[in-house]
Amino acid sequence: MSYDPSNTDPPVIPDVIRFPLTPGIRKYAWDHGYSEQLLARHLNLFKSEYREYLKGMESRVPTYIRANTLRCRPAELRKRLESKGFVLEPLDFCNHAFRLDKTPFTPGSTPEYLLGQYFVQDAASLAPVLSLNPRPGETVVDMCCAPGGKTSHVAQLMQRHGTILAFELEEKRMRSTASNLARCGVDNALLFNRDAALAAPWLAENDVTVDKILLDAPCSGEGVLPNDKARRKGEVEEFVACATGQRRLLAAAASMLRKGGELVYSTCAIAPEENEFNVVYACEKLGLEIVETGIDSANGAPLTKGFTEIGALKLPGYVSMARRFLPHRNRTLGFFFAKFRKVVE
Amino acid sequence: MIAELTGEELSKMKAFLERFDRKLFDELLGKYSLATIGEEGEKTIIVSGRETAELAKRLSPETFGLPFGEFRFGDFYLGLEGLYLIGGMSDRKKVILDEKGVQFFLYGRDVKGKHINIYDEDLKTGDLTLVTTPYGEVIGLATVAGKLEKLGTVIHKLLDRGWYLREGG
């Protein structure tokens, strides 16, 4: 059986994948507070390593920080924090980020934090910005920007040259986003409280050419299970709602991007409906081609390739160019990202 | 609403900045584009690059660039990022705290003389002063409340970057 993303205007989402429930799954789900179908799908997706997978999802992941090079030099930041008793280990895939192996107190309250010299964020969430590789002088859209971590990361890679158009739909998240951008010294971002999915015609009317887009889409968030037990109760029907919204945003992104422009799509969901299926939708329906992310390992372990076989379902081979961070392999939260280039007008 | 600063607003801002260093205002205008955002009575002064400012005028975002300060009912108030920027442009009117003094100050407290490492000898009681870390980064604004070499409370906190934790959201 092959996945067919046809009839996608409006986007039609396939039924959620359902896996058979066994007595063992039912018991484990009951004992550990999972919804049965959520557990069943995770065990089937990661069947050869499901013990390690579950252990990873049930253990806390380390804390990570990104040095904000708009406000400090990473080596000096490391020295200053270590003088306060923190122990920092440089990340292998990002030369301006660290894993905190010892935190004598919360890293969100130091003078260096208040000066905007670093941002506390999971290591996996560095990947979409590194993969997008924003350059000075470009116009970059961040479609779902709160709380501003990735936006400020984009700004530091642009070295203050060029412009970021940052969108956030939820009004209540605007204040903290603006505060984070100010604290980090971001002076080249425009912050909009509006739906990025409706922005394409408006940007075109205003002669704005978009070179790159970051779409870290709202999602079911199963990837943050290590930090949030409440996610174990997630119901699979939620994936359909999330995937519908994600396709709406993907279609808008494809529409606002210039030909040859690049898009990185990411979620902290595990569900293939929100990840691999959306990659197929983007490639088959939106005039985007998937390209290599440029990031293949983290914390000494390879990233997992996008799934091309999910139960009996087969997806196109190109989906394997997408990448997943997994707690048990990469010591990060669960995370998915894929990079695209626009090939048609 | 995004607008250019009026002549009166520019004059007020210039007069305030000259309390720290005469060259600050011109240097700021040379480096950044200035605009206000908001309505009469409460406007935020924004600094940004010229390209960003031009795009903001066309697209009317909720906010953009860096908040430098505010005009509240016509009066100019310097903000945290304004302080940080001018601290990088001048060495005048500064007190440099030790690590303990930095902690006190960021908790919103006044600071005693024993926590002041270095200070500008031109500072007099009642003056406004920039307050910095031992590394020279500006963490806030204070008034000089007493002779800086004395042991009692010598700087009185007006504004500090601990705001980002307490109220920044």
Side-chain angles (χ1 to χ4, degrees):
Chain A
M1 181 172 52
S2 293
Y3 170 56
D4 175 13
S6 59
N7 302 318
T8 50
D9 189 21
V12 172
I13 308 300
D15 286 341
V16 289
I17 314 162
R18 290 187 183 276
F19 292 96
L21 299 176
T22 63
I25 288 172
R26 287 204 152 110
K27 180 171 185 333
Y28 193 93
W30 175 260
D31 289 347
H32 293 83
Y34 285 95
S35 74
E36 292 175 344
Q37 192 50 236
L38 187 75
L39 184 66
R41 63 169 34 224
H42 284 193
L43 296 188
N44 278 279
L45 288 172
F46 301 99
K47 49 191 161 199
S48 63
E49 50 185 329
Y50 78 92
R51 286 181 200 280
E52 295 83 0
Y53 173 81
L54 278 180
K55 194 176 167 196
M57 280 294 185
E58 293 172 2
S59 312
R60 285 197 74 83
V61 298
T63 301
Y64 298 89
I65 60 169
R66 168 179 53 83
N68 174 21
T69 52
L70 295 177
R71 286 273 160 102
C72 72
R73 292 194 186 94
E76 283 174 19
L77 174 68
R78 182 182 186 185
K79 205 181 290 180
R80 282 173 68 163
L81 291 179
E82 290 197 331
S83 76
K84 296 172 198 282
F86 289 88
V87 174
L88 283 74
E89 187 61 36
L91 283 191
D92 51 7
F93 71 100
C94 178
N95 64 9
H96 47 272
F98 300 93
R99 187 178 67 238
L100 298 184
D101 285 344
K102 187 179 169 196
T103 54
F105 48 89
T106 170
S109 66
T110 65
E112 290 76 14
Y113 175 83
L114 295 171
L115 282 158
Q117 294 184 354
Y118 63 90
F119 206 96
V120 182
Q121 60 181 105
D122 187 60
S125 69
L126 300 160
V129 178
L130 294 172
S131 180
L132 188 66
N133 192 25
R135 307 310 305 160
E138 291 179 334
T139 299
V140 179
V141 168
D142 184 349
M143 294 182 77
C144 307
C145 71
K150 294 184 189 70
T151 315
S152 66
H153 195 186
V154 169
Q156 83 178 63
L157 297 185
M158 293 172 78
Q159 300 167 44
R160 292 202 170 95
H161 298 291
T163 304
I164 305 165
L165 307 177
F167 292 85
E168 177 49 48
L169 182 57
E170 287 188 52
E171 190 180 2
K172 66 181 180 195
R173 303 187 78 188
M174 291 289 285
R175 180 181 159 90
S176 58
T177 304
S179 171
N180 277 326
L181 296 181
R183 180 177 60 82
C184 292
V186 176
D187 63 6
N188 64 333
L190 281 63
L191 182 56
F192 300 93
N193 179 206
R194 56 192 296 169
D195 186 353
L198 304 176
W202 170 67
L203 291 177
E205 276 166 26
N206 283 283
D207 295 325
V208 177
T209 304
V210 177
D211 300 304
K212 289 179 178 168
I213 297 178
L214 183 65
L215 173 51
D216 185 43
C219 67
S220 58
E222 308 149 273
V224 302
L225 267 167
N227 287 354
D228 183 4
K229 280 187 179 178
R231 306 272 177 176
R232 294 183 190 180
K233 288 289 182 197
E235 293 298 335
V236 292
E237 286 72 17
E238 192 186 345
F239 306 146
V240 176
C242 289
T244 306
Q246 289 151 359
R247 290 190 176 197
R248 184 171 163 267
L249 287 161
L250 268 169
S255 164
M256 72 174 85
L257 197 58
R258 70 165 168 80
K259 187 178 178 188
E262 293 176 326
L263 159 72
V264 172
Y265 171 78
S266 62
T267 74
C268 56
I270 302 295
E273 293 89 339
E274 300 182 60
N275 296 320
E276 282 86 351
F277 286 11
N278 281 345
V279 168
V280 177
Y281 170 69
C283 292
E284 304 295 330
K285 293 292 168 186
L286 300 178
L288 300 171
E289 70 172 0
I290 190 168
V291 297
E292 294 291 349
T293 63
I295 301 171
D296 293 318
S297 67
N299 279 333
L303 300 185
T304 302
K305 293 180 177 179
F307 297 131
T308 52
E309 286 185 26
I310 300 162
L313 197 63
K314 297 207 184 317
L315 301 182
Y318 60 70
V319 176
S320 66
M321 277 193 264
R323 291 288 181 272
R324 285 174 179 272
F325 283 80
L326 294 170
H328 68 291
R329 288 189 177 180
N330 307 109
R331 300 185 67 197
T332 66
L333 297 175
F335 198 80
F336 175 94
F337 70 114
K339 184 174 183 178
F340 302 92
R341 184 175 299 125
K342 184 166 175 175
V343 288
V344 296
E345 275 300 346
Chain B
M1 191 178 73
I2 297 169
E4 304 280 343
L5 273 76
T6 64
E8 188 186 351
E9 287 170 340
L10 284 168
S11 300
K12 283 181 180 172
M13 200 170 144
K14 184 176 181 188
F16 189 91
L17 294 180
E18 282 181 348
R19 293 168 74 171
F20 296 94
D21 195 327
R22 287 196 165 275
K23 68 176 187 183
L24 279 177
F25 184 72
D26 289 337
E27 198 167 331
L28 190 72
L29 286 186
K31 278 189 177 171
Y32 295 99
S33 182
L34 300 182
T36 60
I37 194 162
E39 300 302 324
E40 206 51 54
E42 196 159 322
K43 294 180 182 175
T44 302
I45 303 149
I46 300 290
V47 296
S48 70
R50 302 199 196 289
E51 188 189 346
T52 301
E54 286 305 315
L55 203 52
K57 279 178 205 158
R58 276 160 49 204
L59 300 180
S60 299
E62 268 61 36
T63 189
F64 69 103
L66 272 181
F68 184 84
E70 289 177 338
F71 285 108
R72 275 181 246 144
F73 300 101
D75 292 331
F76 173 75
Y77 295 87
L78 195 54
L80 289 168
E81 296 313 316
L83 287 167
Y84 188 92
L85 284 184
I86 66 171
M89 295 175 184
S90 171
D91 286 328
R92 298 198 58 224
K93 303 280 175 133
K94 283 182 179 172
V95 295
I96 300 176
L97 304 183
D98 65 13
E99 293 280 4
K100 202 80 190 164
V102 168
Q103 267 183 29
F104 284 133
F105 192 76
L106 291 174
Y107 285 138
R109 290 163 61 177
D110 297 339
V111 178
K112 296 184 189 307
K114 66 179 178 182
H115 295 302
I116 293 176
N117 281 345
I118 304 171
Y119 60 90
D120 179 350
E121 294 189 351
D122 289 344
L123 284 168
K124 303 181 296 294
T125 302
D127 278 355
L128 285 175
T129 181
L130 302 178
V131 181
T132 86
T133 66
Y135 304 94
E137 302 121 339
V138 175
I139 53 171
L141 182 70
T143 50
V144 178
K147 293 206 171 182
L148 290 168
E149 71 275 15
K150 290 208 170 168
L151 292 179
T153 297
V154 294
I155 60 167
H156 177 61
K157 189 221 81 163
L158 296 175
L159 192 59
D160 71 279
R161 292 186 76 92
W163 179 90
Y164 282 116
L165 267 189
R166 298 189 300 269
E167 297 178 53

